[in-house]
Amino acid sequence: MYKGFLVDRNLLSTDPHFSQGCGFCHMGDEKGASKADAHRGLVKKPSDDLKICGRCHDQIAANYGKSLHYTTAGLKHGIRGRLSTAEESLFNEKVFPKSCNNCHATCGDCHVKSPTIGGVNPGLIQQHQFVKRNEGKTCALCHGGRVYPEFTGEYGGTPDVHYQKGMTCIDCHTRKEAHGDGSTVTSRKQVADRPACLGCHPRGSDKSDKSRAAHDQHAGKLSCVACHAAGQYRNCYDCHLGAGATAKPGFILGLDPRERKLVTTLRVIPTVRDTFSKAGVAMENYDALPNYWDTVPHMIKKRTDRTRSCEVCHTERQGFLSKETLLKGGSKANEGLIRMPPQLP
Amino acid sequence: MPVLRISFALLILTLALVPVSHAEDGLSGCVSCHTDEARIKALYTPTEAPPSEGEG
């Protein structure tokens, strides 16, 4: 791990980022005789203050300040509907800054040094080189609980077909999406031009009649991932402030809780009734939102159990949310997500 | 003689304004440690990771 703190000396003379010396960004005492002296007043993550990068990259920094990676507003948005007005103020004051917003990504987390996860700091991405992208050392860490290991197959399933073809995160989730475009958004669903399957695989591009028939039959009723997510993905349960959640694999199909039109893959949200009780937030409107959100498991395959056989859904109803499989003691809104496929004649 | 005095004064002024180099090799303390693998290895303190599962 110590290698993560080693700087490439050659960069000092070739990269303009170093022209003003280390202290320009990191403060500290460049003349300090010991580690303790040199690190006194050290700013470990200078880009926590976007103005530092904004001196040269002003537009990107301004946009980034409004992006979800920086504001983590999506996390607040996800919980807001469960809170009364008084609770929301308490949440914003006591919980959000210390918990959710603590996870925000700075410029440096993606371009210089891998983000600290669970107290572990893997260190510099490439000896303090300012890198454009290195998903395995950046995205993979913050999104390493669910999405990234699903994508690479580290959970034991086969890797996502896009990963197998050599694609990584930024090939779909573009720089514009990561940096933001200057709009204030509260959810990833509001991000303009976010990736969509149909962007690369438009309707009518099927290579076989069978595929075309299946797509025509299910258009407007199912999301793409409802059929093309390869298998079980990770769901997190029972999260408590400061103690974390527990995870187990599962595959759940039900109505998209946002629009209630399409059947799609759902992921359990680990917020339980007493998640924030330590902070005095009881979530008076807990039952206003379900315990499942629509999700895009990053384990896409052309052929899955559901694309091979109609029976898997229409006879066996595998994975479909039902009264029997709903979370025990969960939100009253969960029942509204149950949608069974019609039985085959 | 005045030329010599002025030159001497300029020399003193220049030396006073040039930042004192921390390390023997003329590099700042930050650079001399963070580019020296043996030194960083000796100074590095491993983090104690709390048991937790990743989110995201």
Side-chain angles (χ1 to χ4, degrees):
Chain A
M1 287 292 255
Y2 72 92
K3 288 191 176 177
F5 296 86
L6 208 53
V7 174
D8 178 0
R9 187 182 288 237
N10 295 323
L11 293 172
L12 305 174
S13 54
T14 55
D15 185 334
H17 286 105
F18 298 91
S19 62
Q20 304 292 317
C22 311
F24 184 72
C25 294
H26 285 288
M27 309 302 279
D29 181 1
E30 294 195 45
K31 296 173 192 165
S34 66
K35 181 182 171 185
D37 287 343
H39 285 191
R40 191 162 293 124
L42 180 79
V43 177
K44 286 185 180 176
K45 293 172 70 174
S47 59
D48 261 337
D49 178 1
L50 294 178
K51 288 200 250 357
I52 295 277
C53 302
R55 285 171 182 162
C56 295
H57 307 279
D58 52 346
Q59 192 55 59
I60 295 173
N63 288 350
Y64 190 65
K66 293 179 179 174
S67 74
L68 290 172
H69 271 137
Y70 190 72
T71 63
T72 62
L75 299 172
K76 191 189 288 187
H77 178 73
I79 203 77
R80 202 174 165 206
R82 299 190 197 275
L83 310 175
S84 66
T85 310
E87 284 178 333
E88 193 177 341
S89 306
L90 193 61
F91 180 85
N92 289 345
E93 185 195 331
K94 283 195 170 179
V95 181
F96 186 73
K98 290 176 193 162
S99 181
C100 322
N101 195 234
N102 207 22
C103 267
H104 77 277
T106 65
C107 310
D109 284 329
C110 297
H111 294 293
V112 184
K113 193 176 181 183
S114 300
T116 301
I117 301 295
V120 178
N121 187 339
L124 296 162
I125 297 167
Q126 208 171 315
Q127 297 198 312
H128 214 307
Q129 189 165 332
F130 286 74
V131 300
K132 281 203 167 183
R133 58 189 275 189
N134 187 331
E135 290 95 321
K137 288 187 174 180
T138 55
C139 314
L141 300 189
C142 288
H143 299 280
R146 293 179 286 207
V147 175
Y148 196 80
E150 285 166 12
F151 189 60
T152 57
E154 281 174 60
Y155 277 151
T158 50
D160 188 293
V161 65
H162 302 92
Y163 184 73
Q164 288 180 354
K165 301 271 182 189
M167 293 170 71
T168 54
C169 314
I170 304 294
D171 292 313
C172 292
H173 300 279
T174 60
R175 181 171 60 171
K176 189 177 163 192
E177 188 189 354
H179 285 163
D181 63 0
S183 335
T184 303
V185 290
T186 54
S187 155
R188 65 194 162 90
K189 300 282 176 184
Q190 297 169 349
V191 172
D193 304 326
R194 66 197 181 88
C197 309
L198 293 175
C200 294
H201 308 281
R203 289 291 312 279
S205 59
D206 308 86
K207 289 182 180 158
S208 73
D209 291 341
K210 189 183 169 193
S211 159
R212 184 173 299 110
H215 286 144
D216 287 347
Q217 184 111 28
H218 294 97
K221 299 173 193 162
L222 285 181
S223 71
C224 305
V225 287
C227 291
H228 291 285
Q232 293 197 323
Y233 45 88
R234 203 175 195 199
N235 291 273
C236 294
Y237 296 81
D238 209 21
C239 183
H240 289 94
L241 202 57
T246 52
K248 55 183 176 186
F251 180 86
I252 307 165
L253 288 168
L255 271 183
D256 179 337
R258 298 173 209 260
E259 295 173 1
R260 311 257 170 157
K261 288 178 189 164
L262 290 177
V263 167
T264 192
T265 38
L266 302 175
R267 209 187 288 260
V268 175
I269 299 300
T271 311
V272 288
R273 290 182 190 275
D274 60 350
T275 291
F276 304 113
S277 59
K278 254 166 96 176
V281 179
M283 291 190 278
E284 286 179 27
N285 304 327
Y286 183 80
D287 292 304
L289 298 177
N291 294 116
Y292 306 87
W293 282 119
D294 54 303
T295 187
V296 177
H298 281 51
M299 41 168 59
I300 304 305
K301 281 183 83 176
K302 187 174 182 179
R303 294 183 186 87
T304 67
D305 290 347
R306 276 149 284 121
T307 65
R308 287 192 195 102
S309 156
C310 307
E311 280 79 15
V312 170
C313 291
H314 292 281
T315 303
E316 298 163 22
R317 292 172 162 176
Q318 281 183 23
F320 281 84
L321 205 57
S322 67
K323 281 194 176 179
E324 291 72 37
T325 58
L326 281 180
L327 280 172
K328 303 287 175 271
S331 165
K332 289 174 185 162
N334 292 343
E335 272 197 42
L337 305 183
I338 296 173
R339 173 67 63 90
M340 285 293 172
Q343 286 279 15
L344 287 175
Chain B
M1 207 54 174
V3 175
L4 201 63
R5 274 188 198 156
I6 290 168
S7 303
F8 184 72
L10 279 174
L11 179 67
I12 296 294
L13 190 65
T14 308
L15 286 173
L17 290 176
V18 168
V20 178
S21 174
H22 166 80
E24 287 169 8
D25 56 5
L27 297 167
S28 79
C30 321
V31 173
S32 59
C33 276
H34 281 274
T35 56
D36 181 339
E37 185 164 350
R39 212 180 315 181
I40 278 289
K41 191 174 181 179
L43 288 169
Y44 174 72
T45 321
T47 316
E48 276 188 36
S52 68
E53 292 195 70
E55 306 276 330

